[in-house]
Amino acid sequence: MLDSIKKLSDRKKQAADIISNCTNRLRSGWNPWADISNSRQFTKFDDICELYRKYLIKMTSTAALKQKTQTDYLSRLSILIDYNQNLPIPIIYIYQFTRAYVSDFLDHIFLDRDTSARTRNNYRVWLSAFSAWLIEKQYLEKNPVEGIKSLEETEKFRSALEREDLIRLKDYLYKVDRYYLLACRMEYYTFIRPDELSNIRLRDINIKEQKVFIASTISKNRRDGMVGLNDELIKLMIELQIFSYHSECYLFGRDFKPSTKKADSRIFRENFIKVRAALKFPKNYQFYSLKDSGIRDLANAEGIVIARDQARHSDISTTNKYLKGQNMTVHEETKHFNGAF
């Protein structure tokens, strides 16, 4: 293609420019083999989300959409945008909004954010409506939600770990990866959801009073929360010199060590799958099973009310109205009960 350029140095310069341009486009998400039928499918994902947000607001202002529906849709859109931004390799163009991407996002909603099957199914319905809008505007040709089934809303595959398996897991991780052991113990003792756990910074931990603050900005229920830190957690944190890191560091980075860079919440689940295989645990043992195990053991040891409060369950929403931020109390029993893990 460059034979028409007579001078060799000019020919090489032109070739280098073409290579550089193609490389930059590839790094930004361009795929020369993608099945793209029109240029609109190369519209940037962030631009599409902003356009959809304006569309929802306009539809509500003309009474074509209920205010509650707009609020729900905008909330789900915000979570989708946040999910994409925190991916190791976020999508850039709307044609990358594929069935595989949607399926991974729904797994994130169901597993990492610890929602019910009904909530996950509601997200699926919204994603289908969003995709239909994309097809109508010719940003997509096919609905990526098609083929992704709804979950049985009464089904619960996950189960708590038996006491002997908790001990096996503890002994194994203490030898292999004590930082991931800390992550697992945080789930068992504090019941903090994986998505919230990935957002906890060292500044949120009060080691003297043995408690962790969960801000409303990272909490699933959008309320401030406070949970107790068990003695075993404090001992392991001191052993790992966790508090030698800067207070702005996230408690768990990609390698489960404190880091200035936020890790994707999926790391807890993905690493547990490897550990589960190594220990030959059943598939119904999942990372979030540690929360089930902890609630069971704390309730048996100290009572259901204490376990309920430590889990920040909705039954105490009235109490939460009278407590704000750092003034929230935690039960002393959560700090000292003798668990199996």
Side-chain angles (χ1 to χ4, degrees):
M1 292 174 61
L2 303 178
D3 288 344
S4 59
I5 302 175
K6 294 182 179 180
K7 194 173 179 180
L8 180 60
S9 60
D10 292 342
R11 197 183 310 167
K12 288 183 176 181
K13 184 178 182 301
Q14 181 67 24
D17 289 342
I18 293 173
I19 291 171
S20 177
N21 181 51
C22 288
T23 300
N24 289 332
R25 292 179 68 190
L26 286 165
R27 285 175 177 167
S28 66
W30 174 64
N31 183 352
W33 292 283
D35 185 17
I36 305 299
S37 61
N38 67 72
S39 60
R40 302 196 92 182
Q41 294 176 42
F42 270 112
T43 306
K44 290 189 174 181
F45 176 75
D46 289 344
D47 293 341
I48 292 290
C49 290
E50 177 61 20
L51 184 62
Y52 182 65
R53 187 186 69 82
K54 292 179 179 178
Y55 169 80
L56 292 176
I57 293 173
K58 180 63 177 178
M59 289 287 285
T60 306
S61 68
T62 59
L65 199 67
K66 293 181 179 179
Q67 181 63 49
K68 184 180 183 301
T69 304
Q70 178 206 292
T71 302
D72 289 345
Y73 282 12
L74 288 178
S75 174
R76 290 167 188 166
L77 179 66
S78 176
I79 290 171
L80 175 63
I81 293 171
D82 184 65
Y83 166 79
N84 188 60
Q85 290 175 343
N86 285 293
L87 287 175
I89 305 178
I91 63 172
I92 304 296
Y93 301 108
I94 195 60
Y95 82 82
Q96 296 171 294
F97 191 72
T98 61
R99 177 176 171 180
Y101 180 90
V102 170
S103 179
D104 286 345
F105 174 65
L106 288 173
D107 283 346
H108 168 73
I109 294 298
F110 184 56
L111 299 172
D112 299 329
R113 292 179 63 86
D114 182 40
T115 60
S116 64
R118 175 176 295 182
T119 299
R120 181 265 189 196
N121 290 342
N122 288 341
Y123 269 87
R124 180 191 171 279
V125 172
W126 169 73
L127 286 166
S128 184
F130 177 49
S131 299
W133 179 82
L134 292 171
I135 292 171
E136 178 186 335
K137 306 301 179 185
Q138 296 189 333
Y139 293 116
L140 289 181
E141 286 190 339
K142 297 179 180 179
N143 192 325
V145 182
E146 291 181 3
I148 299 178
K149 297 180 180 179
S150 297
L151 297 180
E152 289 288 339
E153 297 185 6
T154 56
E155 179 182 359
K156 183 180 178 182
F157 179 71
R158 188 181 75 236
S159 65
L161 278 71
E162 297 295 334
R163 185 179 180 86
E164 56 270 23
D165 290 331
L166 283 169
I167 295 172
R168 283 183 61 204
L169 178 61
K170 176 180 65 176
D171 293 343
Y172 173 78
L173 289 178
Y174 193 83
K175 295 177 182 177
V176 174
D177 190 347
R178 286 182 292 163
Y179 289 96
Y180 187 59
L181 172 61
L182 177 61
C184 291
R185 279 185 150 182
M186 283 290 290
E187 193 61 40
Y188 174 80
Y189 284 111
T190 70
F191 317 149
I192 298 175
R193 302 172 181 92
D195 193 60
E196 298 169 343
L197 204 57
S198 68
N199 283 285
I200 295 294
R201 296 178 188 259
L202 296 185
R203 70 186 183 201
D204 300 319
I205 300 173
N206 186 326
I207 188 172
K208 183 179 179 180
E209 298 185 17
Q210 292 186 222
K211 59 186 182 181
V212 183
F213 175 60
I214 300 96
S216 60
T217 53
I218 66 171
S219 174
K220 176 189 172 184
N221 61 13
R222 299 304 174 190
R223 295 188 181 123
D224 290 341
M226 190 77 77
V227 297
L229 274 180
N230 189 274
D231 296 328
E232 294 300 319
L233 284 172
I234 296 296
K235 290 177 185 177
L236 186 55
M237 285 179 172
I238 293 173
E239 182 181 333
L240 296 175
Q241 300 182 335
I242 296 298
F243 299 104
S244 65
Y245 292 85
H246 194 279
S247 63
E248 290 299 313
C249 287
Y250 291 97
L251 177 58
F252 296 111
R254 285 189 182 181
D255 54 359
F256 303 105
K257 297 178 181 179
S259 173
T260 55
K261 294 184 179 179
K262 181 182 179 298
D264 191 289
S265 60
R266 290 181 296 178
I267 62 171
F268 302 109
R269 169 167 53 93
E270 291 171 352
N271 203 61
F272 192 85
I273 293 172
K274 298 175 184 177
V275 173
R276 184 176 66 198
L279 292 174
K280 297 182 179 179
F281 281 163
K283 288 186 177 180
N284 57 328
Y285 280 5
Q286 300 171 11
F287 178 75
Y288 214 70
S289 295
L290 293 166
K291 178 177 179 179
D292 299 332
S293 309
I295 291 175
R296 175 199 63 198
D297 293 347
L298 179 59
N300 289 336
E302 306 296 345
I304 190 65
V305 173
I306 291 171
R308 181 196 64 192
D309 289 358
Q310 177 76 345
R312 296 171 290 136
H313 286 161
S314 59
D315 291 3
I316 59 167
S317 58
T318 304
T319 308
N320 287 339
K321 292 178 181 178
Y322 298 94
L323 301 172
K324 300 291 182 182
Q326 298 293 340
N327 294 321
M328 288 182 170
T329 59
V330 298
H331 291 285
E332 288 297 314
E333 292 87 348
T334 64
K335 304 174 184 178
H336 311 296
F337 99 95
N338 185 20
F341 194 41

